[in-house]
Short mmCIF file of all heavy atoms in Angstrom, two decimals:
data_model
loop_
_atom_site.label_atom_id
_atom_site.label_comp_id
_atom_site.label_asym_id
_atom_site.label_seq_id
_atom_site.Cartn_x
_atom_site.Cartn_y
_atom_site.Cartn_z
N GLN B 665 -48.14 17.81 19.22
CA GLN B 665 -47.91 19.22 19.53
C GLN B 665 -48.94 20.12 18.86
O GLN B 665 -49.41 21.09 19.45
CB GLN B 665 -46.48 19.60 19.12
CG GLN B 665 -45.42 19.00 20.05
CD GLN B 665 -44.12 18.63 19.35
OE1 GLN B 665 -43.86 19.04 18.21
NE2 GLN B 665 -43.30 17.84 20.02
N LEU B 666 -49.32 19.80 17.64
CA LEU B 666 -50.31 20.63 16.93
C LEU B 666 -51.69 20.54 17.57
O LEU B 666 -52.39 21.54 17.72
CB LEU B 666 -50.40 20.20 15.46
CG LEU B 666 -49.27 20.61 14.53
CD1 LEU B 666 -49.53 20.07 13.13
CD2 LEU B 666 -49.12 22.12 14.50
N VAL B 667 -52.07 19.33 17.94
CA VAL B 667 -53.45 19.12 18.38
C VAL B 667 -53.73 19.80 19.73
O VAL B 667 -54.88 20.05 20.08
CB VAL B 667 -53.76 17.60 18.40
CG1 VAL B 667 -53.30 16.95 19.69
CG2 VAL B 667 -55.23 17.33 18.12
N GLN B 668 -52.66 20.11 20.46
CA GLN B 668 -52.85 20.83 21.73
C GLN B 668 -53.49 22.19 21.49
O GLN B 668 -54.34 22.64 22.26
CB GLN B 668 -51.50 21.03 22.43
CG GLN B 668 -50.96 19.77 23.06
CD GLN B 668 -49.62 20.00 23.73
OE1 GLN B 668 -49.06 21.09 23.67
NE2 GLN B 668 -49.10 18.97 24.36
N ASP B 669 -53.07 22.86 20.43
CA ASP B 669 -53.60 24.19 20.12
C ASP B 669 -54.73 24.13 19.10
O ASP B 669 -55.60 25.00 19.09
CB ASP B 669 -52.48 25.08 19.56
CG ASP B 669 -51.38 25.31 20.58
OD1 ASP B 669 -51.70 25.36 21.78
OD2 ASP B 669 -50.22 25.41 20.16
N PHE B 670 -54.66 23.15 18.24
CA PHE B 670 -55.62 23.05 17.13
C PHE B 670 -56.23 21.66 17.10
O PHE B 670 -55.75 20.77 16.37
CB PHE B 670 -54.93 23.35 15.79
CG PHE B 670 -54.28 24.70 15.72
CD1 PHE B 670 -52.92 24.83 15.55
CD2 PHE B 670 -55.05 25.86 15.82
CE1 PHE B 670 -52.31 26.07 15.47
CE2 PHE B 670 -54.44 27.12 15.75
CZ PHE B 670 -53.07 27.22 15.58
N PRO B 671 -57.29 21.43 17.86
CA PRO B 671 -57.89 20.10 17.89
C PRO B 671 -58.48 19.68 16.54
O PRO B 671 -58.85 18.51 16.35
CB PRO B 671 -58.97 20.20 18.96
CG PRO B 671 -59.21 21.65 19.16
CD PRO B 671 -57.95 22.36 18.80
N GLU B 672 -58.55 20.62 15.61
CA GLU B 672 -59.08 20.29 14.28
C GLU B 672 -58.09 19.49 13.44
O GLU B 672 -58.43 18.97 12.38
CB GLU B 672 -59.42 21.58 13.51
CG GLU B 672 -60.55 22.40 14.11
CD GLU B 672 -60.09 23.37 15.20
OE1 GLU B 672 -58.89 23.31 15.57
OE2 GLU B 672 -60.90 24.17 15.68
N VAL B 673 -56.84 19.38 13.91
CA VAL B 673 -55.86 18.60 13.14
C VAL B 673 -56.23 17.13 13.22
O VAL B 673 -56.45 16.58 14.30
CB VAL B 673 -54.43 18.84 13.68
CG1 VAL B 673 -53.43 17.89 13.00
CG2 VAL B 673 -54.02 20.29 13.45
N GLU B 674 -56.31 16.51 12.07
CA GLU B 674 -56.78 15.13 11.98
C GLU B 674 -55.61 14.13 11.95
O GLU B 674 -55.65 13.11 12.62
CB GLU B 674 -57.61 14.96 10.71
CG GLU B 674 -58.30 13.63 10.56
CD GLU B 674 -59.45 13.42 11.55
OE1 GLU B 674 -59.92 14.43 12.14
OE2 GLU B 674 -59.84 12.27 11.74
N ALA B 675 -54.59 14.41 11.16
CA ALA B 675 -53.46 13.48 11.05
C ALA B 675 -52.27 14.20 10.43
O ALA B 675 -52.43 15.23 9.75
CB ALA B 675 -53.84 12.26 10.20
N VAL B 676 -51.09 13.65 10.67
CA VAL B 676 -49.84 14.20 10.11
C VAL B 676 -49.08 13.06 9.45
O VAL B 676 -48.81 12.05 10.09
CB VAL B 676 -48.96 14.84 11.22
CG1 VAL B 676 -47.61 15.27 10.65
CG2 VAL B 676 -49.67 16.01 11.88
N ASN B 677 -48.76 13.24 8.20
CA ASN B 677 -47.94 12.28 7.48
C ASN B 677 -46.59 12.94 7.18
O ASN B 677 -46.48 13.74 6.26
CB ASN B 677 -48.62 11.87 6.17
CG ASN B 677 -47.70 11.03 5.28
OD1 ASN B 677 -46.55 10.76 5.63
ND2 ASN B 677 -48.21 10.62 4.13
N ALA B 678 -45.59 12.61 8.01
CA ALA B 678 -44.24 13.15 7.81
C ALA B 678 -43.29 12.01 7.46
O ALA B 678 -42.18 11.93 7.97
CB ALA B 678 -43.78 13.90 9.05
N LEU B 679 -43.76 11.12 6.60
CA LEU B 679 -43.00 9.91 6.28
C LEU B 679 -41.92 10.13 5.23
O LEU B 679 -41.21 9.20 4.88
CB LEU B 679 -43.95 8.82 5.76
CG LEU B 679 -45.05 8.34 6.69
CD1 LEU B 679 -45.94 7.33 5.98
CD2 LEU B 679 -44.47 7.72 7.94
N TYR B 680 -41.85 11.32 4.70
CA TYR B 680 -40.95 11.53 3.57
C TYR B 680 -39.66 12.21 4.01
O TYR B 680 -39.66 13.39 4.34
CB TYR B 680 -41.66 12.32 2.46
CG TYR B 680 -42.91 11.56 2.05
CD1 TYR B 680 -44.15 11.89 2.58
CD2 TYR B 680 -42.81 10.45 1.22
CE1 TYR B 680 -45.28 11.15 2.26
CE2 TYR B 680 -43.93 9.71 0.90
CZ TYR B 680 -45.16 10.06 1.43
OH TYR B 680 -46.26 9.31 1.14
N GLN B 681 -38.58 11.44 4.05
CA GLN B 681 -37.24 11.95 4.36
C GLN B 681 -37.27 12.77 5.65
O GLN B 681 -36.87 13.93 5.70
CB GLN B 681 -36.68 12.75 3.18
CG GLN B 681 -36.16 11.89 2.03
CD GLN B 681 -37.26 11.04 1.40
OE1 GLN B 681 -38.27 11.56 0.97
NE2 GLN B 681 -37.07 9.73 1.37
N HIS B 682 -37.74 12.10 6.69
CA HIS B 682 -37.74 12.67 8.04
C HIS B 682 -38.58 13.95 8.11
O HIS B 682 -38.32 14.84 8.92
CB HIS B 682 -36.30 12.96 8.49
CG HIS B 682 -36.10 12.81 9.97
ND1 HIS B 682 -37.09 12.43 10.85
CD2 HIS B 682 -35.00 13.01 10.74
CE1 HIS B 682 -36.60 12.40 12.08
NE2 HIS B 682 -35.35 12.74 12.05
N GLY B 683 -39.57 14.06 7.22
CA GLY B 683 -40.46 15.20 7.26
C GLY B 683 -40.03 16.37 6.39
O GLY B 683 -40.60 17.45 6.48
N LEU B 684 -39.05 16.17 5.51
CA LEU B 684 -38.71 17.27 4.59
C LEU B 684 -39.94 17.62 3.75
O LEU B 684 -40.10 18.76 3.32
CB LEU B 684 -37.54 16.88 3.69
CG LEU B 684 -36.16 16.89 4.36
CD1 LEU B 684 -35.07 16.48 3.38
CD2 LEU B 684 -35.83 18.26 4.95
N THR B 685 -40.79 16.62 3.51
CA THR B 685 -42.12 16.90 2.98
C THR B 685 -43.14 16.22 3.89
O THR B 685 -42.95 15.07 4.28
CB THR B 685 -42.27 16.37 1.55
OG1 THR B 685 -41.44 17.14 0.68
CG2 THR B 685 -43.72 16.50 1.06
N ALA B 686 -44.17 16.97 4.25
CA ALA B 686 -45.21 16.41 5.13
C ALA B 686 -46.58 16.84 4.64
O ALA B 686 -46.73 17.89 4.00
CB ALA B 686 -44.99 16.88 6.57
N VAL B 687 -47.57 16.02 4.94
CA VAL B 687 -48.96 16.31 4.59
C VAL B 687 -49.76 16.33 5.90
O VAL B 687 -49.68 15.40 6.69
CB VAL B 687 -49.55 15.24 3.65
CG1 VAL B 687 -50.93 15.68 3.17
CG2 VAL B 687 -48.62 14.98 2.47
N ILE B 688 -50.50 17.41 6.12
CA ILE B 688 -51.29 17.54 7.34
C ILE B 688 -52.75 17.70 6.97
O ILE B 688 -53.09 18.57 6.14
CB ILE B 688 -50.82 18.77 8.17
CG1 ILE B 688 -49.35 18.60 8.58
CG2 ILE B 688 -51.71 18.98 9.40
CD1 ILE B 688 -48.76 19.81 9.29
N SER B 689 -53.60 16.90 7.56
CA SER B 689 -55.03 17.07 7.30
C SER B 689 -55.66 17.80 8.49
O SER B 689 -55.35 17.50 9.65
CB SER B 689 -55.72 15.74 7.04
OG SER B 689 -55.66 14.91 8.17
N VAL B 690 -56.54 18.75 8.17
CA VAL B 690 -57.12 19.60 9.20
C VAL B 690 -58.51 20.06 8.76
O VAL B 690 -58.75 20.28 7.57
CB VAL B 690 -56.19 20.82 9.46
CG1 VAL B 690 -55.96 21.64 8.20
CG2 VAL B 690 -56.71 21.70 10.58
N LYS B 691 -59.39 20.17 9.73
CA LYS B 691 -60.73 20.70 9.43
C LYS B 691 -60.66 22.21 9.57
O LYS B 691 -60.38 22.72 10.67
CB LYS B 691 -61.75 20.11 10.40
CG LYS B 691 -63.17 20.54 10.15
CD LYS B 691 -64.12 19.81 11.11
CE LYS B 691 -65.54 20.29 10.94
NZ LYS B 691 -66.07 20.11 9.58
N ASN B 692 -60.87 22.91 8.48
CA ASN B 692 -60.79 24.37 8.53
C ASN B 692 -61.85 24.94 9.47
O ASN B 692 -63.03 24.65 9.36
CB ASN B 692 -61.02 24.95 7.13
CG ASN B 692 -59.70 25.24 6.43
OD1 ASN B 692 -58.70 25.55 7.07
ND2 ASN B 692 -59.70 25.14 5.11
N ARG B 693 -61.39 25.76 10.42
CA ARG B 693 -62.34 26.41 11.34
C ARG B 693 -62.89 27.68 10.70
O ARG B 693 -64.02 28.08 10.93
CB ARG B 693 -61.62 26.74 12.65
CG ARG B 693 -62.56 27.03 13.80
CD ARG B 693 -61.83 27.57 15.01
NE ARG B 693 -60.72 26.74 15.46
CZ ARG B 693 -59.78 27.16 16.30
NH1 ARG B 693 -59.80 28.40 16.76
NH2 ARG B 693 -58.81 26.36 16.67
N PHE B 694 -62.05 28.32 9.91
CA PHE B 694 -62.45 29.51 9.17
C PHE B 694 -61.51 29.64 7.98
O PHE B 694 -60.50 28.92 7.90
CB PHE B 694 -62.41 30.76 10.06
CG PHE B 694 -61.19 30.85 10.93
CD1 PHE B 694 -59.96 31.25 10.41
CD2 PHE B 694 -61.26 30.53 12.28
CE1 PHE B 694 -58.84 31.32 11.21
CE2 PHE B 694 -60.13 30.60 13.09
CZ PHE B 694 -58.92 31.00 12.55
N ALA B 695 -61.81 30.55 7.09
CA ALA B 695 -61.01 30.70 5.87
C ALA B 695 -59.55 31.00 6.24
O ALA B 695 -59.30 31.88 7.07
CB ALA B 695 -61.58 31.80 5.00
N GLY B 696 -58.65 30.29 5.61
CA GLY B 696 -57.22 30.52 5.84
C GLY B 696 -56.66 29.82 7.07
O GLY B 696 -55.46 29.92 7.36
N PHE B 697 -57.52 29.12 7.79
CA PHE B 697 -57.11 28.48 9.05
C PHE B 697 -55.94 27.51 8.85
O PHE B 697 -55.00 27.46 9.65
CB PHE B 697 -58.32 27.72 9.62
CG PHE B 697 -58.07 27.01 10.91
CD1 PHE B 697 -57.89 27.71 12.10
CD2 PHE B 697 -58.04 25.62 10.97
CE1 PHE B 697 -57.67 27.05 13.29
CE2 PHE B 697 -57.83 24.95 12.16
CZ PHE B 697 -57.65 25.67 13.33
N ALA B 698 -55.98 26.75 7.76
CA ALA B 698 -54.93 25.73 7.53
C ALA B 698 -53.55 26.38 7.44
O ALA B 698 -52.55 25.77 7.85
CB ALA B 698 -55.24 24.95 6.24
N LYS B 699 -53.51 27.60 6.91
CA LYS B 699 -52.21 28.27 6.81
C LYS B 699 -51.66 28.57 8.21
O LYS B 699 -50.45 28.47 8.45
CB LYS B 699 -52.35 29.56 6.00
CG LYS B 699 -52.71 29.33 4.54
CD LYS B 699 -52.76 30.67 3.79
CE LYS B 699 -53.16 30.46 2.34
NZ LYS B 699 -54.57 30.05 2.16
#
Side-chain angles (χ1 to χ4, degrees):
Chain B
Q665 288 146 14
L666 284 179
V667 84
Q668 285 179 357
D669 297 327
F670 302 117
E672 295 86 353
V673 173
E674 187 70 17
V676 174
N677 171 0
L679 299 177
Y680 303 97
Q681 283 62 56
H682 212 1
L684 285 179
T685 292
V687 187
I688 298 175
S689 64
V690 58
K691 183 175 176 59
N692 264 329
R693 197 189 306 165
F694 44 77
F697 180 71
K699 294 183 181 70

